Amino acid sequence: MAGLLYKELKLNRFVFILFLISELIFWTLLGCLFGLSDDDVTLKAFSLVAGVFIVISTFFSGIVESGIFSGEERKKWAYYVASTPVGVSGYIGAKYVTTLIFSMAVVLLHTLVLSAYFQLIGRCGNLTLLVVALFYIQLFMRSVEIPLVVRFGNKTGNSLKLAGLLVILIVSVVYMLFGDTSVFNNMDNFWEWLFSVLKDQEKLSTLILSIGIMTVAVLPLYYLSYRLSVKWYLKGAENYAK
């Protein structure tokens, strides 16, 4: 499988490198914009922008990871893969490992940058929890998405994913209409709520415990997703045009 993993990393290296470089550029510009000031208002604004950027960055890294499974929807290629010594399991495994490596690279980059800012201004260290939480959410999303893409192809698989996201959006809208949304009435309330969670030791411990549970649950799910993708790969290949 090492050769297939090398192939995936080499084919996607420019996209990966470009993405990570753009991340570094943004973080640098963010530091220059706020001047690494120790003023509370500036630090709050810095943390808010950094948190939003981390969420957006994770979303776009998911798009990059989804692209790892595109461009090879051909019957001849699928049957060739099945005939190789490593077989379907090695081929699919290389893609899962590549996805995991890229996700970990994004997490490592964000963690190192946040650690550097923490040393410089003494804040933003708690955003590391957000980075870790989003990492496991990312793995969960890929665990659901990849088997669908393998079984039904990129077009149908992505349509099913969008349908799932639409359901989540509808539920969110219903909650916004009828649930308790006082914390979101304005950004000041939201910011105060967020910092109260991070400063409250009991709430912070609960958050850390939740992340720990996600860790225990998502990694086996990621492996089960891999096994399901291996099982479905040749079945999905029957739907390819050629």
Side-chain angles (χ1 to χ4, degrees):
M1 191 179 76
L4 289 170
L5 180 59
Y6 174 77
K7 176 186 81 72
E8 295 296 334
L9 292 174
K10 187 171 182 178
L11 287 176
N12 294 283
R13 67 187 186 282
F14 291 117
V15 177
F16 290 173
I17 293 172
L18 182 62
F19 183 89
L20 295 176
I21 290 176
S22 65
E23 294 268 305
L24 285 173
I25 291 174
F26 178 86
W27 282 114
T28 303
L29 292 175
L30 186 63
C32 294
L33 178 64
F34 287 92
L36 302 179
S37 171
D38 58 357
D39 176 73
D40 284 342
V41 175
T42 303
L43 287 174
K44 282 186 178 182
F46 176 85
S47 297
L48 175 61
V49 175
V52 172
F53 171 71
I54 289 170
V55 173
I56 294 174
S57 170
T58 303
F59 172 77
F60 279 104
S61 68
I63 295 177
V64 172
E65 292 170 3
S66 298
I68 293 174
F69 280 81
S70 64
E72 296 180 349
E73 294 184 349
R74 298 188 300 274
K75 285 183 179 179
K76 291 181 179 179
W77 173 253
Y79 295 140
Y80 167 75
V81 166
S83 68
T84 60
V86 294
V88 174
S89 60
Y91 171 70
I92 296 295
K95 290 187 175 291
Y96 269 79
V97 173
T98 302
T99 300
L100 182 61
I101 289 174
F102 181 68
S103 294
M104 293 176 66
V106 174
V107 170
L108 178 62
L109 176 62
H110 286 163
T111 302
L112 290 175
V113 171
L114 290 173
S115 298
Y117 278 125
F118 181 76
Q119 294 298 321
L120 290 170
I121 60 179
R123 297 285 182 90
C124 303
N126 286 330
L127 285 176
T128 304
L129 292 174
L130 175 63
V131 173
V132 175
L134 288 173
F135 168 72
Y136 288 107
I137 292 174
Q138 185 84 292
L139 287 187
F140 173 78
M141 294 295 292
R142 299 292 82 75
S143 297
V144 175
E145 174 191 359
I146 294 175
L148 293 176
V149 170
V150 168
R151 179 62 181 86
F152 301 105
N154 271 284
K155 185 176 181 180
T156 304
N158 288 330
S159 297
L160 292 172
K161 181 182 70 172
L162 289 175
L165 293 175
L166 182 60
V167 171
I168 295 174
L169 178 62
I170 292 173
V171 172
S172 301
V173 170
V174 171
Y175 177 80
M176 294 296 289
L177 290 174
F178 303 104
D180 182 12
T181 59
S182 58
V183 69
F184 301 106
N185 285 342
N186 58 63
M187 287 307 300
D188 288 336
N189 288 346
F190 174 76
W191 197 246
E192 289 177 4
W193 170 80
L194 180 61
F195 270 85
S196 69
V197 171
L198 296 177
K199 291 180 180 179
D200 189 310
Q201 190 60 43
E202 184 177 347
K203 292 180 180 179
L204 188 59
S205 298
T206 302
L207 179 61
I208 294 174
L209 177 61
S210 300
I211 294 175
I213 293 173
M214 288 172 61
T215 304
V216 173
V218 170
L219 293 180
L221 178 63
Y222 194 70
Y223 175 75
L224 290 175
S225 172
Y226 156 70
R227 298 305 307 175
L228 189 60
S229 294
V230 170
K231 183 177 180 180
W232 281 357
Y233 180 66
L234 290 179
K235 292 182 180 179
E238 295 174 1
N239 300 320
Y240 297 163
K242 57 182 179 177

